[in-house]
Short mmCIF file of all heavy atoms in Angstrom, two decimals:
data_model
loop_
_atom_site.label_atom_id
_atom_site.label_comp_id
_atom_site.label_asym_id
_atom_site.label_seq_id
_atom_site.Cartn_x
_atom_site.Cartn_y
_atom_site.Cartn_z
N GLU A 138 94.13 99.31 94.02
CA GLU A 138 94.03 99.48 95.45
C GLU A 138 92.61 99.33 95.96
O GLU A 138 91.66 99.57 95.23
CB GLU A 138 94.58 100.85 95.88
CG GLU A 138 93.77 102.03 95.34
CD GLU A 138 94.26 103.37 95.84
OE1 GLU A 138 95.14 103.40 96.72
OE2 GLU A 138 93.77 104.40 95.34
N LEU A 139 92.52 98.97 97.22
CA LEU A 139 91.21 98.83 97.86
C LEU A 139 90.55 100.19 98.01
O LEU A 139 91.18 101.16 98.44
CB LEU A 139 91.37 98.19 99.24
CG LEU A 139 90.14 98.25 100.15
CD1 LEU A 139 89.06 97.29 99.65
CD2 LEU A 139 90.50 97.92 101.59
N VAL A 140 89.29 100.25 97.67
CA VAL A 140 88.46 101.43 97.92
C VAL A 140 87.54 101.17 99.09
O VAL A 140 87.56 101.88 100.09
CB VAL A 140 87.64 101.83 96.69
CG1 VAL A 140 86.73 103.01 97.01
CG2 VAL A 140 88.55 102.18 95.50
N ALA A 141 86.74 100.13 98.97
CA ALA A 141 85.82 99.74 100.03
C ALA A 141 85.44 98.28 99.85
O ALA A 141 85.30 97.80 98.74
CB ALA A 141 84.58 100.62 100.00
N SER A 142 85.23 97.59 100.95
CA SER A 142 84.85 96.18 100.86
C SER A 142 84.10 95.73 102.13
O SER A 142 84.25 96.35 103.18
CB SER A 142 86.06 95.28 100.64
OG SER A 142 86.89 95.25 101.79
N TYR A 143 83.38 94.66 101.98
CA TYR A 143 82.80 93.97 103.13
C TYR A 143 83.79 92.94 103.61
O TYR A 143 84.45 92.27 102.82
CB TYR A 143 81.47 93.32 102.76
CG TYR A 143 80.34 94.30 102.64
CD1 TYR A 143 79.93 94.79 101.39
CD2 TYR A 143 79.66 94.75 103.77
CE1 TYR A 143 78.89 95.69 101.29
CE2 TYR A 143 78.62 95.66 103.67
CZ TYR A 143 78.24 96.12 102.43
OH TYR A 143 77.20 97.03 102.34
N THR A 144 83.89 92.79 104.92
CA THR A 144 84.79 91.83 105.54
C THR A 144 83.97 90.75 106.25
O THR A 144 82.76 90.70 106.15
CB THR A 144 85.73 92.53 106.53
OG1 THR A 144 84.96 93.11 107.59
CG2 THR A 144 86.53 93.60 105.84
N VAL A 145 84.68 89.87 106.96
CA VAL A 145 84.02 88.82 107.73
C VAL A 145 83.02 89.45 108.70
O VAL A 145 83.34 90.42 109.38
CB VAL A 145 85.04 87.97 108.49
CG1 VAL A 145 84.33 86.94 109.38
CG2 VAL A 145 85.96 87.27 107.52
N GLY A 146 81.83 88.89 108.72
CA GLY A 146 80.80 89.43 109.59
C GLY A 146 80.08 90.61 109.01
O GLY A 146 79.28 91.27 109.68
N ASP A 147 80.35 90.91 107.75
CA ASP A 147 79.72 92.04 107.03
C ASP A 147 80.10 93.41 107.59
O ASP A 147 79.35 94.38 107.48
CB ASP A 147 78.20 91.90 106.98
CG ASP A 147 77.73 90.92 105.93
OD1 ASP A 147 78.50 90.65 104.99
OD2 ASP A 147 76.61 90.41 106.06
N PHE A 148 81.26 93.49 108.23
CA PHE A 148 81.83 94.77 108.56
C PHE A 148 82.39 95.38 107.30
O PHE A 148 82.63 94.68 106.32
CB PHE A 148 82.94 94.62 109.62
CG PHE A 148 82.43 94.26 110.98
CD1 PHE A 148 82.37 92.93 111.38
CD2 PHE A 148 82.01 95.25 111.87
CE1 PHE A 148 81.90 92.59 112.65
CE2 PHE A 148 81.54 94.92 113.13
CZ PHE A 148 81.48 93.59 113.51
N THR A 149 82.63 96.69 107.31
CA THR A 149 83.16 97.36 106.15
C THR A 149 84.57 97.84 106.37
O THR A 149 84.96 98.16 107.49
CB THR A 149 82.28 98.55 105.73
OG1 THR A 149 82.10 99.41 106.86
CG2 THR A 149 80.91 98.06 105.27
N ASN A 150 85.33 97.90 105.29
CA ASN A 150 86.70 98.36 105.32
C ASN A 150 86.91 99.35 104.20
O ASN A 150 86.49 99.10 103.07
CB ASN A 150 87.66 97.18 105.17
CG ASN A 150 89.11 97.56 105.33
OD1 ASN A 150 89.43 98.43 106.11
ND2 ASN A 150 89.98 96.91 104.59
N TYR A 151 87.56 100.49 104.49
CA TYR A 151 87.79 101.52 103.49
C TYR A 151 89.23 101.88 103.38
O TYR A 151 89.98 101.85 104.38
CB TYR A 151 87.00 102.80 103.85
CG TYR A 151 85.50 102.66 103.80
CD1 TYR A 151 84.77 102.27 104.93
CD2 TYR A 151 84.81 102.89 102.62
CE1 TYR A 151 83.40 102.14 104.89
CE2 TYR A 151 83.43 102.76 102.57
CZ TYR A 151 82.73 102.37 103.69
OH TYR A 151 81.35 102.24 103.64
N GLY A 152 89.65 102.22 102.17
CA GLY A 152 90.98 102.73 101.99
C GLY A 152 91.14 104.06 102.71
O GLY A 152 90.18 104.83 102.81
N ASP A 153 92.35 104.33 103.22
CA ASP A 153 92.56 105.52 104.02
C ASP A 153 92.19 106.82 103.28
O ASP A 153 91.66 107.75 103.89
CB ASP A 153 94.03 105.61 104.46
CG ASP A 153 94.38 104.56 105.49
OD1 ASP A 153 93.47 104.03 106.15
OD2 ASP A 153 95.60 104.28 105.65
N SER A 154 92.44 106.87 102.00
CA SER A 154 92.21 108.07 101.25
C SER A 154 90.74 108.39 100.98
O SER A 154 90.41 109.51 100.58
CB SER A 154 92.95 108.02 99.92
OG SER A 154 92.46 106.99 99.09
N VAL A 155 89.85 107.41 101.22
CA VAL A 155 88.43 107.63 100.92
C VAL A 155 87.56 107.59 102.18
O VAL A 155 86.34 107.84 102.08
CB VAL A 155 87.89 106.61 99.91
CG1 VAL A 155 88.78 106.57 98.67
CG2 VAL A 155 87.80 105.21 100.52
N LYS A 156 88.14 107.30 103.33
CA LYS A 156 87.37 107.25 104.55
C LYS A 156 86.64 108.56 104.84
O LYS A 156 87.23 109.62 104.75
CB LYS A 156 88.27 106.89 105.74
CG LYS A 156 88.75 105.46 105.75
CD LYS A 156 89.64 105.18 106.96
CE LYS A 156 90.12 103.73 106.96
NZ LYS A 156 91.03 103.46 108.08
N GLY A 157 85.38 108.45 105.14
CA GLY A 157 84.59 109.64 105.43
C GLY A 157 83.94 110.24 104.21
O GLY A 157 83.08 111.10 104.31
N ARG A 158 84.35 109.81 103.03
CA ARG A 158 83.81 110.35 101.78
C ARG A 158 83.02 109.32 100.98
O ARG A 158 82.04 109.67 100.31
CB ARG A 158 84.94 110.89 100.89
CG ARG A 158 85.71 112.03 101.53
CD ARG A 158 86.67 112.68 100.54
NE ARG A 158 87.70 111.74 100.07
CZ ARG A 158 87.90 111.40 98.80
NH1 ARG A 158 87.13 111.92 97.85
NH2 ARG A 158 88.86 110.56 98.46
N PHE A 159 83.45 108.06 101.02
CA PHE A 159 82.80 106.99 100.25
C PHE A 159 82.04 106.03 101.16
O PHE A 159 82.44 105.82 102.32
CB PHE A 159 83.84 106.18 99.48
CG PHE A 159 84.52 106.91 98.35
CD1 PHE A 159 84.36 108.28 98.18
CD2 PHE A 159 85.36 106.24 97.49
CE1 PHE A 159 85.01 108.95 97.16
CE2 PHE A 159 85.99 106.90 96.46
CZ PHE A 159 85.83 108.26 96.30
N THR A 160 80.98 105.44 100.63
CA THR A 160 80.19 104.48 101.38
C THR A 160 79.80 103.29 100.47
O THR A 160 79.26 103.50 99.40
CB THR A 160 78.90 105.09 101.94
OG1 THR A 160 79.24 106.21 102.78
CG2 THR A 160 78.14 104.07 102.80
N ILE A 161 80.10 102.08 100.94
CA ILE A 161 79.71 100.88 100.21
C ILE A 161 78.40 100.34 100.79
O ILE A 161 78.17 100.42 102.00
CB ILE A 161 80.81 99.81 100.25
CG1 ILE A 161 80.46 98.62 99.33
CG2 ILE A 161 81.05 99.33 101.67
CD1 ILE A 161 81.58 97.60 99.20
N SER A 162 77.55 99.80 99.93
CA SER A 162 76.32 99.18 100.38
C SER A 162 75.93 98.08 99.41
O SER A 162 76.46 98.03 98.28
CB SER A 162 75.19 100.21 100.49
OG SER A 162 74.91 100.80 99.25
N ARG A 163 75.04 97.20 99.82
CA ARG A 163 74.61 96.12 98.93
C ARG A 163 73.14 95.85 99.13
O ARG A 163 72.57 96.07 100.20
CB ARG A 163 75.44 94.85 99.13
CG ARG A 163 75.28 94.18 100.49
CD ARG A 163 76.26 93.02 100.66
NE ARG A 163 75.92 91.89 99.80
CZ ARG A 163 76.72 90.86 99.57
NH1 ARG A 163 77.95 90.82 100.10
NH2 ARG A 163 76.32 89.85 98.78
N ASP A 164 72.52 95.35 98.06
CA ASP A 164 71.12 94.97 98.07
C ASP A 164 71.04 93.54 97.58
O ASP A 164 71.14 93.28 96.36
CB ASP A 164 70.30 95.90 97.18
CG ASP A 164 68.80 95.64 97.26
OD1 ASP A 164 68.40 94.49 97.52
OD2 ASP A 164 68.04 96.61 97.07
N ASN A 165 70.91 92.60 98.51
CA ASN A 165 70.94 91.19 98.13
C ASN A 165 69.77 90.77 97.23
O ASN A 165 69.91 89.91 96.38
CB ASN A 165 70.97 90.32 99.37
CG ASN A 165 72.30 90.38 100.11
OD1 ASN A 165 73.31 90.78 99.53
ND2 ASN A 165 72.30 90.01 101.39
N ALA A 166 68.61 91.40 97.44
CA ALA A 166 67.44 91.07 96.63
C ALA A 166 67.67 91.43 95.17
O ALA A 166 67.20 90.74 94.27
CB ALA A 166 66.21 91.77 97.17
N LYS A 167 68.38 92.51 94.93
CA LYS A 167 68.66 92.97 93.57
C LYS A 167 69.99 92.47 93.05
O LYS A 167 70.34 92.74 91.88
CB LYS A 167 68.62 94.50 93.50
CG LYS A 167 67.27 95.11 93.81
CD LYS A 167 67.32 96.62 93.72
CE LYS A 167 65.96 97.24 94.00
NZ LYS A 167 66.00 98.72 93.91
N LYS A 168 70.77 91.78 93.88
CA LYS A 168 72.12 91.33 93.53
C LYS A 168 72.96 92.51 93.07
O LYS A 168 73.63 92.45 92.02
CB LYS A 168 72.05 90.24 92.45
CG LYS A 168 71.43 88.94 92.92
CD LYS A 168 71.54 87.87 91.85
CE LYS A 168 71.02 86.54 92.36
NZ LYS A 168 71.17 85.46 91.33
N MET A 169 72.95 93.57 93.87
CA MET A 169 73.70 94.76 93.52
C MET A 169 74.55 95.25 94.68
O MET A 169 74.21 95.05 95.84
CB MET A 169 72.76 95.89 93.08
CG MET A 169 71.97 95.56 91.82
SD MET A 169 71.02 96.99 91.20
CE MET A 169 72.37 98.03 90.61
N VAL A 170 75.64 95.87 94.33
CA VAL A 170 76.49 96.55 95.29
C VAL A 170 76.74 97.96 94.78
O VAL A 170 76.88 98.17 93.57
CB VAL A 170 77.82 95.78 95.54
CG1 VAL A 170 78.63 95.66 94.27
CG2 VAL A 170 78.63 96.46 96.63
N TYR A 171 76.79 98.92 95.70
CA TYR A 171 76.90 100.32 95.32
C TYR A 171 78.12 100.96 95.99
O TYR A 171 78.59 100.52 97.02
CB TYR A 171 75.66 101.10 95.72
CG TYR A 171 74.36 100.50 95.25
CD1 TYR A 171 73.63 99.64 96.07
CD2 TYR A 171 73.86 100.80 93.99
CE1 TYR A 171 72.43 99.11 95.63
CE2 TYR A 171 72.67 100.24 93.54
CZ TYR A 171 71.96 99.41 94.37
OH TYR A 171 70.78 98.87 93.94
N LEU A 172 78.57 102.04 95.39
CA LEU A 172 79.61 102.85 95.99
C LEU A 172 79.19 104.31 95.85
O LEU A 172 79.22 104.86 94.74
CB LEU A 172 80.97 102.63 95.32
CG LEU A 172 82.13 103.42 95.93
CD1 LEU A 172 82.45 102.88 97.34
CD2 LEU A 172 83.38 103.33 95.04
N GLN A 173 78.80 104.92 96.95
CA GLN A 173 78.47 106.33 96.96
C GLN A 173 79.73 107.12 97.21
O GLN A 173 80.39 106.93 98.24
CB GLN A 173 77.43 106.63 98.06
CG GLN A 173 77.04 108.09 98.15
CD GLN A 173 76.32 108.60 96.93
OE1 GLN A 173 75.41 107.95 96.44
NE2 GLN A 173 76.75 109.76 96.42
N MET A 174 80.07 108.00 96.29
CA MET A 174 81.30 108.77 96.36
C MET A 174 80.95 110.25 96.49
O MET A 174 80.34 110.82 95.58
CB MET A 174 82.18 108.55 95.15
CG MET A 174 82.49 107.06 94.90
SD MET A 174 83.67 106.82 93.53
CE MET A 174 82.66 107.40 92.16
N ASN A 175 81.34 110.86 97.60
CA ASN A 175 81.08 112.28 97.83
C ASN A 175 82.39 113.05 97.97
O ASN A 175 83.45 112.49 98.24
CB ASN A 175 80.26 112.45 99.12
CG ASN A 175 78.90 111.81 99.05
OD1 ASN A 175 78.25 111.80 98.01
ND2 ASN A 175 78.44 111.29 100.18
N ASN A 176 82.29 114.36 97.77
CA ASN A 176 83.45 115.24 97.86
C ASN A 176 84.63 114.70 97.06
O ASN A 176 85.75 114.56 97.56
CB ASN A 176 83.85 115.43 99.32
CG ASN A 176 84.88 116.54 99.52
OD1 ASN A 176 84.98 117.45 98.70
ND2 ASN A 176 85.66 116.43 100.58
N LEU A 177 84.36 114.41 95.80
CA LEU A 177 85.38 113.81 94.94
C LEU A 177 86.55 114.74 94.70
O LEU A 177 86.39 115.95 94.61
CB LEU A 177 84.77 113.38 93.63
CG LEU A 177 83.92 112.09 93.71
CD1 LEU A 177 82.96 111.99 92.53
CD2 LEU A 177 84.83 110.88 93.77
N LYS A 178 87.72 114.14 94.60
CA LYS A 178 88.97 114.88 94.39
C LYS A 178 89.64 114.39 93.11
O LYS A 178 89.41 113.26 92.68
CB LYS A 178 89.93 114.67 95.57
CG LYS A 178 89.33 115.05 96.93
CD LYS A 178 90.30 114.70 98.05
CE LYS A 178 89.72 115.07 99.39
NZ LYS A 178 90.64 114.74 100.50
N PRO A 179 90.48 115.22 92.48
CA PRO A 179 91.16 114.80 91.27
C PRO A 179 91.93 113.47 91.44
O PRO A 179 91.99 112.68 90.51
CB PRO A 179 92.13 115.94 90.97
CG PRO A 179 91.41 117.13 91.52
CD PRO A 179 90.74 116.64 92.78
N GLU A 180 92.49 113.23 92.63
CA GLU A 180 93.20 112.01 92.88
C GLU A 180 92.32 110.76 92.95
O GLU A 180 92.81 109.64 93.03
CB GLU A 180 94.05 112.12 94.16
CG GLU A 180 93.27 112.61 95.36
CD GLU A 180 93.44 114.10 95.59
OE1 GLU A 180 93.40 114.88 94.63
OE2 GLU A 180 93.62 114.51 96.77
N ASP A 181 91.01 110.95 92.91
CA ASP A 181 90.08 109.82 92.84
C ASP A 181 89.93 109.30 91.42
O ASP A 181 89.28 108.27 91.20
CB ASP A 181 88.71 110.21 93.38
CG ASP A 181 88.71 110.52 94.87
OD1 ASP A 181 89.41 109.80 95.61
OD2 ASP A 181 88.03 111.47 95.29
#
């Protein structure tokens, strides 16, 4: 299932169960993408 992604125009999209808790980001210079996960739950 989708957790988080960039969409057309570099907007972000999050799965309903993680909205408000997870954040996606990217660093083009480092060729990296990150997922910050807060308030983790067993269902994660």
Side-chain angles (χ1 to χ4, degrees):
E138 65 176 352
L139 168 72
V140 176
S142 69
Y143 284 98
T144 62
V145 175
D147 281 339
F148 289 94
T149 54
N150 185 35
Y151 294 91
D153 290 339
S154 64
V155 308
K156 289 180 179 177
R158 299 188 297 121
F159 292 9
T160 303
I161 187 173
S162 62
R163 65 187 290 167
D164 186 330
N165 289 341
K167 296 180 179 180
K168 293 186 175 182
M169 297 188 70
V170 61
Y171 308 94
L172 182 68
Q173 179 65 47
M174 305 185 294
N175 298 324
N176 191 25
L177 284 160
K178 304 175 180 180
E180 51 263 43
D181 293 320

